[in-house]
Amino acid sequence: MLGIEEVAAEAQQVTASLAWEPTRCTSGGVLHGGALMGLADSLGGYCAFLNLPEGAAGTTTIESKTNFLRAVRGGRVTGTARPLHVGRMIIVVDTELRDDEGRLVARVTQTQAVLPRPGADPNG
């Protein structure tokens, strides 16, 4: 639904892009911050999922911090998510969003809680 394309995924790096489109913009033709955050959250969640410890059911975002650094008025935004910390209960992911010229548009740090499988002992 977000229009995310060109997904490439490995445990150490997940990348994808989002095209500028008028329906994703605020006034003045600037790509909406929510669209950028949606891209980053999707990449971060995917990266966390690929790094789940054995026996985990999934993850959920418990904190997300975004720094917006530049407006996007055309082209595509490419996001790259990488794990910063992979633990039994918490996974932290850093995501960079860059424009077509490679300029940093936003940086997102997410904390993902690891969800245990139903009936599993959360203390291992």
Side-chain angles (χ1 to χ4, degrees):
M1 291 198 55
L2 293 175
I4 296 171
E5 301 174 328
E6 301 175 4
V7 178
E10 302 175 359
Q12 293 304 306
Q13 182 172 298
V14 177
T15 61
S17 66
L18 180 69
W20 179 94
E21 182 191 300
T23 61
R24 296 183 185 121
C25 292
T26 62
S27 59
V30 174
L31 190 61
H32 194 283
L36 295 171
M37 290 173 73
L39 172 61
D41 189 57
S42 296
L43 293 175
Y46 197 175
C47 185
F49 180 81
L50 293 174
N51 285 280
L52 283 174
E54 188 174 327
T59 69
T60 188
T61 304
I62 58 173
E63 192 271 338
S64 184
K65 165 74 167 91
T66 304
N67 288 102
F68 296 104
L69 304 169
R70 161 180 310 279
V72 177
R73 292 186 171 86
R76 303 185 76 72
V77 173
T78 299
T80 303
R82 295 180 181 93
L84 291 177
H85 169 78
V86 177
R88 282 185 313 117
M89 301 184 72
I90 297 290
I91 297 173
V92 180
V93 178
D94 178 67
T95 303
E96 290 186 349
L97 302 179
R98 294 186 176 273
D99 64 15
D100 284 335
E101 296 179 33
R103 298 175 297 191
L104 191 60
V105 169
R107 184 142 200 181
V108 180
T109 304
Q110 284 183 357
T111 304
Q112 299 269 339
V114 174
L115 303 173
R117 292 200 188 283
D121 180 357
N123 297 314

